[in-house]
Every structure is written in C-alpha cells, then in structure tokens.
Amino acid sequence: MAKDDKSTPVSESDLASRFPTAYTILFGLIIIVAALTWIIPAGQYDRVMNEEVGREVAVPGTYQTVDPNPQGAVEVMLAPTAGFYDPDSYVANAIDVALFVLFLGGFLGVMNATGAIDTGIRSAMRHLQGHEIWVIPILMTLFALGGTTYGMAEETLAFYAILIPVMLVAGYDTVTGVAIILLGAGIGVLGSTINPFATVIAANAAGIPFTDGIVLRFILLIGGLLICIGYVMRYAHRVKADSSRSVVAKQWDAHRQLFLQRQDEESHSASLTRTQIIALIIFGLTFVIMIWGVSSQGWWMARMGALFFGAAIVIGLIARLGEKKLTGSFVDGARDLLGVALVVGLARGIVVIMEQGMIADTILHSAETSLGGLPELAFINLMFWIEVGMSFFVPSSSGLAVLSMPILAPLADFANVGRDLVVTAFQAANGLVNLINPTFAVVVGGLAIGRVSYDRWLAFIWPLLLILTVFISVIISIGTLF
C-alpha cells in the first residue's frame, strides 16, 4: 500500500475529474434523501419486540401518517457523524467497522515493513507460473461459502490489500482482485442458505422456518457462483492477453507502482528469510482465527480489530522492528485506510437521514399497497423489484429484513405464494444491489482500497448485473410453480 498521497498517479486524478469520488457521491446522496423528506409524507408503523429476531419489528396494518420531520442543512451536515454512531437506529452503526478498518490498515503497515508480503508474492507467483487463472474459481468459491453461511461482508475488507498485489503480479488488474472478493462473497450472500443475518432473520420475521425454500436458494447460490466465476475468468483472460482491455487501463502502470512499489527495489531478494516465514505464518493464522471467531464464536468488529492489533504487535516484535518503526508502520498503515473509514460513515449517514426524516416506513407502506391483489408471477417479481429499490436505502440485510419482512411476507398468503419465496426474493434483491450499492460500506470501502473508481466498477459489472437479474427472475418465477 502507498505510504502517502504523493504516490497517487496523475492518471487517477484525471479519472477523478471525469467522475466524482466516492465521498462526493455519498454526500450527494445524503442531500438527495434529505430533499425527499420534504416531499414524501412522514409515516410510521407500530413496532413490537420480536424475541426470535431480537429486535423490534413493524406490525402489519398499523401504518399511520405522523408529523413531518424534514431534514435541513444542519441535519445533512450532522449525518456523516451520526452515521458512525446512532444508538436509536435499527441498522448497525458504522463506528465499529471504521475502527476495524484502521486497525486492519495498521496491521498491514507492520506486515509491509517486514517485507514478507512482497517476497512471498514473488515466490508464490513463480510456483503458480502458467496456472494463475485457477486462483479465481478457488478463492471465489471460498468467499461465497463465507457469504452463504455467515453473511461475510465487512470482514472481506481485510483481504483486498493481500489479494490485489497477487493479481497484479499474475498479470491481471486491480478490478480482477476486487471482483474475486466482492463478487465471491456477494454472490454467497445473494444465495444465502443458512446466513443468520439474512435468511434466518428474514425467515423469523416472516414467521416461517429458515429451512423453508433452502433448495431454491442452493440453486441461486450454485448457478450465480458459476455465472460470476465464468465472467471474472473471461475478463481476467482478456486483460492478461491485452492490458488495454482492462477497464482501468489508464491506471495500469500507476496501480503497479502503488501496490507493488517494493518489487523493483527488492527484486534481487526472492527468498524468504526465517523471520519473514514466521511473520507470514502469523499473518495467515490471524485470518484463520478471524474466520473462526466470526463464524462460530459470534465475534464482530471490536474483537476482530483487537485480533489484528495484537497480531501487529507480535509480528513487529518477532521482526525486531523496534518501538519507533513498529508504531510508525502501524500509524502509516492506518493512514492509508483512513479514507475508507470515512467512506463507511458517509454511507451510513444516508440511512440516518431516512430514519430521522421518517420516510422509510412510508416507502414500505407504498410497497404494501402496490402488491395487493396481484397474480402469483407478477407478485413475486414485483416483490423482488420493491426489495431492490429498498436495498439502495437500507443496504443492511438484517436491517432490511426487520423493516420489510413483517409487512410484505404476510401479503404472500393472499397471492397464493409461499412466504419462503418472499424471503428468497428479498435476499436475492439485497445481495444483487449490494454488488454495486454506493450506500453499502463494503462496496465503497473495497473499491477505495483497490483504487477502483465507482464508474470503472460499473463499467466492469453492468453486463453481469443484467445476466444475474434475468437468472434470479427466472428462478423465483419457477418457484411459484411449487
């Protein structure tokens, strides 16, 4: 990772002049949503505590208009701060994610100071010579397993700085590295099977066992993963054959300078020292422990941050960096990801404005009234698109499940559609949108780490989005027949 902003290439600045940065996009969305609070009537459902879900859920049929609370300039300016911490929100706060990102950056800074990652990458690439393309399906499958089982999302931010240099050395581009992680975990969440933060919460809120509809979700998972793997492998093959076909071709050299800055100066040293080998073992074990903690011990950002902080200290001591270099490397690494941490708060600020302006329930009520009396096929497809629209404003799968499922799932009974199919449509819509959602910290954070601008990501992914949309629509439509 770059040590300071001076290494930012001119071509990246030229690109930014053509398309706004993530900061501008997110702040613009805050302003737009604030403007909507002056137009959309304020309303609210009654809420009761659902012990199975562990949160308050909306009560169907209780929607009522309330006094408006339009959001003005002061609220807009406060939204990014409130996005980091809002104790009254039903959506997870961003402060823990932002702090985790900073601890992660510090950990990577200490690892970079040992030189172990750069040397290890060169060594690995020599052994993979001619077979690098198979890294893509293997890693995407692993990330998809994380997504479908425990909703792997924010945790993926830890992997970008590791994988992107590997892809660059293999002859691919930064978009390939970003796609492996973002699409791999994202398609896993889209096809969630036992994900407690999407499937389980949504099923509980809908009043059904989470195992209902699991076969259809497995079809979504496997089919979607095969589509994404094929798409990324095809793109990577084209880029390696001709770098001008990369969607970030203008940044090709700059990205190599940014992520592989030590390659040239250390090209004479292709063998790992004993200290570097030990550092890499601890490095790998740190991620193994993180995955174990999140998947089976209920860890979240605080414990994950503590893990990376402790691992950074251990690696610094083993590598004999000394107090000044250890702390300096940690601070430099955290500084590299400071922009990512700020993006997380901005993204969450959009949801804060919606909640404070009291328009989220009004939007949900509009969805409730539009679905009434529709035939099965039209009902489930309109349900999917309603959840697509709501996902832009509430990217959190658990937050959207708690908000929408208690209201929308019972409507399936009148349309002769299983509630499990409504849950499947919800998670597929949320997973699809969160592959590009600018209000989702995982998307804007991952792109920021990979130095891929939002417009370049859209240029890469839009054909895949169309394919996945058709695929999902066909699957949920077939689901109405059973």
Side-chain angles (χ1 to χ4, degrees), residues 12-34:
E12 192 169 284
S13 298
D14 292 340
L15 191 60
S17 67
R18 293 191 293 106
F19 194 84
T21 64
Y23 311 103
T24 304
I25 292 171
L26 292 172
F27 192 68
L29 286 172
I30 289 175
I31 295 173
I32 291 171
V33 173

Side-chain angles (χ1 to χ4, degrees), residues 322-405:
E323 186 270 338
K324 291 187 183 295
K325 188 172 183 180
L326 172 57
T327 55
S329 299
F330 190 91
V331 172
D332 285 343
R335 185 187 300 121
D336 284 341
L337 296 189
L338 179 60
V340 178
L342 293 175
V343 158
V344 169
L346 276 171
R348 180 65 184 78
I350 298 168
V351 181
V352 170
I353 291 291
M354 275 192 67
E355 294 174 5
Q356 293 178 348
M358 307 187 78
I359 62 174
D361 283 8
T362 301
I363 295 172
L364 180 60
H365 178 64
S366 299
E368 180 186 7
T369 55
S370 65
L371 286 167
L374 291 176
E376 299 172 15
L377 198 61
F379 173 88
I380 198 60
N381 279 279
L382 182 56
M383 175 72 74
F384 169 74
W385 283 106
I386 286 173
E387 294 287 4
V388 164
M390 294 186 67
S391 293
F392 277 102
F393 297 101
V394 187
S396 165
S397 58
S398 57
L400 183 59
V402 171
L403 176 67
S404 65
M405 284 297 99

Side-chain angles (χ1 to χ4, degrees), residues 48 114 132 149 174 204 275 288 319 334 418 425 440 446 477 479:
V48 296
T114 69
E132 301 91 345
T149 54
T174 55
N204 284 339
T275 299
V288 172
F440 190 33
S477 295

Side-chain angles (χ1 to χ4, degrees), residues 12 37 70 120-121 136 140 144 183 228 269-270 281 296 324 380 385 394 425 429 445 453 458:
E12 192 169 284
T37 65
I121 287 172
I136 294 173
M140 289 187 72
L183 293 180
C228 289
S269 175
I281 291 173
S296 65
K324 291 187 183 295
I380 198 60
W385 283 106
V394 187
S453 62
L458 291 181

Side-chain angles (χ1 to χ4, degrees), residues 216 376 380 417-418 420-421 473-482:
L216 201 64
E376 299 172 15
I380 198 60
V417 171
D420 59 291
L421 194 57
S473 296
V474 169
I475 295 300
I476 61 175
S477 295
I478 292 174
T480 61
L481 303 177
F482 302 96

Side-chain angles (χ1 to χ4, degrees), residues 71-314:
Q71 304 293 285
V74 173
E75 289 79 11
V76 166
M77 299 308 296
L78 287 172
T81 302
F84 282 110
Y85 181 66
D86 180 10
D88 298 323
S89 174
Y90 56 79
V91 180
N93 291 291
I95 185 65
D96 52 355
V97 179
L99 289 175
F100 165 69
V101 166
L102 294 181
F103 280 114
L104 169 64
F107 169 74
L108 294 173
V110 172
M111 270 303 298
N112 284 333
T114 69
I117 292 179
D118 297 308
T119 307
I121 287 172
R122 289 194 298 273
S123 177
M125 285 303 102
R126 285 203 313 273
H127 290 90
L128 286 172
Q129 195 77 33
H131 303 285
E132 301 91 345
I133 194 73
W134 295 109
V135 171
I136 294 173
I138 294 171
L139 291 181
M140 289 187 72
T141 300
L142 292 175
F143 282 117
L145 287 174
T148 193
T149 54
Y150 67 90
M152 190 179 196
E154 286 87 355
E155 308 92 297
T156 60
L157 295 175
F159 294 93
Y160 286 93
I162 306 166
L163 184 58
I164 288 174
V166 174
M167 291 297 102
L168 294 180
V169 172
Y172 308 125
D173 60 1
T174 55
V175 172
T176 304
V178 170
I180 289 172
I181 300 172
L182 188 52
L183 293 180
I187 202 67
V189 174
L190 188 156
S192 291
T193 51
I194 59 173
N195 175 6
F197 304 106
T199 305
V200 176
I201 287 181
N204 284 339
I208 60 172
F210 77 89
T211 52
D212 286 2
I214 197 170
V215 173
L216 201 64
R217 290 169 206 142
F218 265 116
I219 294 173
L220 277 176
L221 172 65
I222 296 171
L225 179 60
L226 290 174
I227 290 170
C228 289
I229 287 174
Y231 188 86
V232 176
M233 289 181 72
R234 181 172 179 269
Y235 171 81
H237 179 75
R238 293 203 321 263
V239 167
K240 188 167 185 176
D242 181 3
S243 62
S244 67
R245 303 187 72 175
S246 166
V247 296
V248 289
K250 292 184 177 179
Q251 298 167 274
W252 185 269
D253 294 332
H255 281 162
R256 275 157 176 72
Q257 179 185 353
L258 189 66
F259 288 100
L260 304 176
Q261 55 184 334
R262 304 174 73 142
Q263 286 291 111
D264 293 335
E265 59 191 66
E266 295 184 6
S267 59
H268 61 282
S269 175
S271 299
L272 290 164
T273 65
R274 180 178 298 177
T275 299
Q276 288 176 330
I277 292 173
I278 295 173
L280 284 175
I281 291 173
I282 297 172
F283 182 78
L285 283 175
T286 302
F287 288 90
V288 172
I289 294 171
M290 180 193 76
I291 294 170
W292 167 78
V294 172
S295 60
S296 65
Q297 302 301 307
W299 285 16
W300 193 232
M301 295 298 159
R303 290 187 179 274
M304 289 163 58
L307 172 66
F308 282 106
F309 180 55
I313 294 174
V314 172

